[in-house]
Amino acid sequence: IFVNATPIQTRSGFQWDATINFSKNKTTVVSLAPGIEAIVLADVQEGQIEARPGESYGNIVGNAFERTPDGRLIVTAPDAQGNGGGKYVANRENNILGNIQPDWMAGVSNTLSYKGFSVSALLDFKIGGKLFSNTKYFQNARGIGKDTEKRTNLKSDGVIPVKNDAGEVTGYVPYDGPVNPIDYNNMAWAGILEYFVIDASYINLREVTIGYTFSQSLLSKLPFTNVKLSLVGRDLLYFGNKDFRNLGIAPDASAVSTDAAEQGVERMSIPPTRSIGFNVGLTF
């Protein structure tokens, strides 16, 4: 949906121009060639992004946290020496951890102008969808991420299964013993991909421009028909989603190829930069 409108235009010269671009896409994989259960669209560590009949295109599939029937996280019990307790356990089924496609995307541009002066701003929206972050994965694996900064007085929020003599699980009890920092931050080494699937939503203040266009009377003795000076800032600010800020990555710079599935994979992208520049526009 594309809308281009001028909500306000006065005789004094003030004008407000607005442009809205909105898109929403919903897909389902209907069928594949006979004998093919799924197509791997992209690999993500021990998981993949796939297309499977009956599912949405672009599901992220891999290991999740092992949970109790009521959703509590399961951790390991300590050994005879009291070590190794509190380590999160992976559920190694083909768990759907999210889908790479956003719920909707939009761009909103507004321009206010009055007697040669103009101010414009462009906002980009991407709401919904998931992303597998390799940056978060490797930061966790190497102990250099913000999620690994806390290394003392660690307490697990998981539970330990209680088994009877036949080895059947009869219940769960909270684990309140000590936790080794390496065990506490073991999601990468344990292959728990769910931990590295983050919300891909963002709002980006893509561009702000402040400009002045000289009147024709000032240009009468010059060889120009139009002169405009502008101060332009690009990629100034991202709103929401603390995961991207903590990781130091740009949410809209994740894909490294034109493959559709790559929108769901962040592959150690370079930290974003904002730019501020001055433009001189001359028309002869």
Side-chain angles (χ1 to χ4, degrees):
I1 299 173
F2 181 82
V3 178
N4 190 18
T6 301
I8 298 177
Q9 187 175 31
T10 67
R11 293 180 179 178
S12 64
F14 176 77
Q15 184 167 314
W16 170 25
D17 296 308
T19 300
I20 300 174
N21 189 4
F22 175 88
S23 64
K24 180 179 176 66
N25 184 39
K26 184 174 178 63
T27 65
T28 300
V29 181
V30 177
S31 64
L32 297 174
I36 298 178
E37 295 183 359
I39 293 177
V40 176
L41 306 172
D43 291 315
V44 287
Q45 299 304 328
E46 297 179 28
Q48 60 269 336
I49 297 174
E50 67 175 28
R52 184 179 293 270
E55 302 285 353
S56 297
Y57 175 91
N59 278 341
I60 303 174
V61 178
N63 302 334
F65 286 99
E66 186 71 52
R67 289 179 168 85
T68 65
D70 59 356
R72 292 177 292 173
L73 298 179
I74 295 177
V75 297
T76 57
D79 58 22
Q81 288 73 39
N83 301 318
K87 182 186 296 187
Y88 294 105
V89 179
N91 180 320
R92 300 188 179 277
E93 303 293 332
N94 284 328
N95 303 280
I96 296 177
L97 307 176
N99 188 274
I100 66 175
Q101 299 201 51
D103 295 332
W104 56 271
M105 300 174 66
V108 178
S109 176
N110 287 284
T111 300
L112 305 177
S113 56
Y114 179 69
K115 294 185 176 180
F117 291 95
S118 63
V119 178
S120 63
L122 172 62
L123 283 169
D124 280 349
F125 297 80
K126 182 180 179 182
I127 307 301
K130 297 294 183 179
L131 180 76
F132 179 86
S133 172
N134 275 283
T135 296
K136 186 173 184 179
Y137 180 91
F138 285 110
Q139 284 183 357
N140 180 270
R142 295 164 183 169
I144 57 174
K146 289 191 70 67
D147 60 342
T148 65
E149 288 180 345
K150 186 178 180 181
R151 304 183 183 186
T152 58
N153 300 319
L154 298 173
K155 293 293 183 182
S156 171
D157 58 355
V159 295
I160 300 173
V162 177
K163 299 180 180 180
N164 57 23
D165 295 338
E168 300 171 329
V169 177
T170 59
Y172 301 89
V173 295
Y175 177 73
D176 56 3
V179 184
N180 185 292
I182 295 178
D183 293 336
Y184 186 82
N185 297 303
N186 78 321
M187 275 67 78
W189 293 103
I192 305 175
L193 266 64
E194 179 185 357
Y195 184 73
F196 308 104
V197 175
I198 63 177
D199 182 14
S201 301
Y202 67 85
I203 302 173
N204 181 12
L205 182 56
R206 178 74 65 187
E207 183 175 293
V208 173
T209 302
I210 302 174
Y212 179 74
T213 302
F214 288 88
S215 64
Q216 293 298 317
S217 61
L218 296 176
L219 302 177
S220 59
K221 297 182 179 181
L222 297 176
F224 310 116
T225 58
N226 186 71
V227 175
K228 183 176 181 178
L229 306 179
S230 303
L231 181 66
V232 182
R234 294 186 175 91
D235 293 324
L236 297 175
L237 186 65
Y238 288 98
F239 299 94
N241 205 323
K242 65 180 181 180
D243 277 321
F244 289 113
R245 293 197 298 271
N246 290 341
L247 294 170
I249 58 178
D252 57 346
S254 58
V256 295
S257 79
T258 56
D259 191 291
E262 286 293 335
Q263 68 176 303
V265 188
E266 181 274 316
R267 299 189 185 276
M268 304 287 285
S269 56
I270 297 174
T273 59
R274 63 174 58 93
S275 66
I276 298 176
F278 188 74
N279 290 346
V280 179
L282 305 175
T283 304
F284 295 89

